[in-house]
Amino acid sequence: MKILLLGLGRWGVNHLRNLNSLPIELFVAEVSDKHLEPARKLGIPAERLTTDYKKFISRVDGVVIVTPAQTHFAMCREFLEAGKDVFVEKPLTVAGEESKQLAELADKHKRILQVGHILRFDPATLWLREAVQNGDFGKVNMIRGHFGGFKRPRNDGGVMFADGVHFMDLFNFILDALPRSVLAIHHDFMQRGMDDVSFVSLEYDTPRGRTWATVENDYFIPGKFREVIVCGDQMSAVCDYNVAQYKIKTFTNRHERAGNDVKATEGVVQQIETSPEEPLLAELRAFIDSIKTRARPRADGWAGYESIRILNAALESVKTGGAIELK
């Protein structure tokens, strides 16, 4: 199988490393020759390196797009219309209507369109989703996510599009639901014309009742935070995505009425062990498998579209100062 990797930026080099470990014939394209150096160091033959990706379109089965978000729509459309299967890093596009067009285009041409919602492929996520869907948490009252920490900001979008999209898609996946409303607050402390701190509140209707979710993103707090907390009326869990293997800790804490008072009872604390598999390798392997089997990806174009719909509703909420209902 022949796969073309577009982009060797900060995240693209990680794709390069993982794709190079898979049983494929890897082609690589970058905008300038000097940016192809990481591929040369891995031993990718010169005839499979280029600064003009169009020369490889007819030679490959699929493409992995790791380029700035503003380029995603045009590139995805070009490859889908050429009959190629596509993996594109998140966000699928910047505009919701463009994401919808790509999802429809993939369906029309019967092509694989997988979006890089990497947390769907983390073993800890799969454990949380199964536990929520099996009712182990009881009614999930709230989910809180903090994806942030001190780092260099991206230039192709605010922190919500860069990082918040991870947890918005994650909550959709864990709850197997879509939010009914979105309320957001943004700050632009660095005065770049885009958010560098973001707070987003989501309300979900699930079979067990309403769930309130919050997503916090920033570029300022010292450290690196990739934490999700799930609070149910039967069990709660803290998941630290920074940890390689023992990411989840569960608590069977309960609030119980005692006459006119409510008693807080702390229960058993349990450490959950999950597989240490690298999520990026898992999602790229899943993309290759989807090309072979034609099975719809776990994170398909429609999942990408729904996350963009939430992000755009959050932007509208920032402008209006109120909650935006999603229909």
Side-chain angles (χ1 to χ4, degrees):
M1 185 181 295
K2 296 177 174 62
I3 300 295
L4 171 61
L5 171 62
L6 286 181
L8 289 179
R10 282 188 292 172
W11 191 233
V13 293
N14 292 320
H15 280 269
L16 173 69
R17 171 176 53 84
N18 281 284
L19 285 167
N20 195 51
S21 71
L22 295 174
I24 61 172
E25 190 173 335
L26 183 59
F27 295 71
V28 182
E30 249 294 355
V31 293
S32 69
D33 188 70
K34 68 177 182 178
H35 290 144
L36 290 168
E37 192 58 31
R40 291 192 185 94
K41 288 181 178 179
L42 279 183
I44 307 298
E47 62 269 20
R48 288 195 253 135
L49 304 177
T50 187
T51 57
D52 179 13
Y53 71 88
K54 293 180 182 292
K55 66 187 287 187
F56 286 157
I57 293 179
S58 63
R59 296 179 58 185
V60 299
D61 303 295
V63 61
V64 174
I65 299 173
V66 195
T67 58
Q70 288 83 354
T71 68
H72 288 180
F73 176 67
M75 285 189 166
C76 287
R77 182 176 60 184
E78 182 176 9
F79 280 91
L80 289 171
E81 289 179 342
K84 307 301 176 181
D85 296 313
V86 174
F87 176 104
V88 59
E89 262 303 338
K90 59 78 195 164
L92 175 53
T93 67
V94 175
E97 185 57 36
E98 291 180 343
S99 290
K100 185 178 181 182
Q101 288 180 36
L102 291 180
E104 291 173 340
L105 193 62
D107 287 350
K108 176 183 176 181
H109 291 286
K110 295 182 169 53
R111 292 294 95 195
I112 300 298
L113 175 58
Q114 182 175 329
V115 184
H117 290 303
I118 191 171
L119 293 181
R120 289 192 179 215
F121 294 85
D122 194 301
T125 296
L126 300 179
W127 188 93
L128 288 172
R129 174 181 162 91
E130 183 177 5
V132 167
Q133 298 306 315
N134 286 344
D136 297 345
F137 285 90
K139 177 186 176 295
V140 177
N141 291 319
M142 71 176 212
I143 301 182
R144 191 185 79 186
H146 180 196
F147 193 116
F150 186 77
K151 66 177 180 178
R152 181 167 72 89
R154 288 179 57 159
N155 295 321
D156 61 346
V159 69
M160 184 184 69
F161 266 83
D163 295 338
V165 63
H166 281 297
F167 281 170
M168 293 172 193
D169 176 73
L170 176 70
F171 294 170
N172 291 351
F173 185 63
I174 288 175
L175 296 172
D176 195 22
L178 299 172
R180 62 186 297 273
S181 70
V182 181
L183 177 65
I185 299 173
H186 286 177
H187 295 289
D188 179 16
F189 291 117
M190 288 184 275
Q191 298 184 351
R192 301 183 308 137
M194 59 187 77
D195 53 293
D196 45 38
V197 174
S198 171
F199 299 92
V200 182
S201 172
L202 309 168
E203 280 191 282
Y204 290 85
D205 286 327
T206 73
R208 291 184 174 85
R210 185 156 297 179
T211 298
W212 180 53
T214 58
V215 179
E216 177 185 349
N217 308 112
D218 69 88
Y219 288 132
F220 299 102
I221 297 177
K224 180 180 178 181
F225 301 92
R226 305 288 186 272
E227 184 182 71
V228 168
I229 300 173
V230 182
C231 292
D233 59 10
Q234 300 298 312
M235 182 175 75
S236 296
V238 177
C239 178
D240 185 353
Y241 283 100
N242 281 331
V243 179
Q245 190 168 0
Y246 296 95
K247 299 183 180 183
I248 302 172
K249 187 178 288 186
T250 63
F251 307 79
T252 54
N253 298 341
R254 306 276 183 85
H255 283 105
E256 299 170 331
R257 290 200 172 275
N260 293 327
D261 296 326
V262 176
K263 182 172 64 173
T265 303
E266 295 186 3
V268 176
V269 180
Q270 185 176 358
Q271 187 77 58
I272 304 298
E273 181 179 4
T274 57
S275 166
E277 181 178 30
E278 184 176 356
L280 179 57
L281 178 59
E283 69 173 346
L284 290 172
R285 185 185 295 115
F287 176 56
I288 302 303
D289 289 343
S290 287
I291 294 177
K292 293 177 180 177
T293 64
R294 312 314 298 167
R296 183 174 287 275
R298 184 182 303 167
D300 65 4
W302 291 106
Y305 162 67
E306 291 297 347
S307 66
I308 299 305
R309 217 161 60 96
I310 297 169
L311 290 169
N312 285 329
L315 291 177
E316 186 178 350
S317 173
V318 169
K319 292 177 181 178
T320 64
I324 303 300
E325 297 290 325
L326 290 176
K327 298 179 181 180

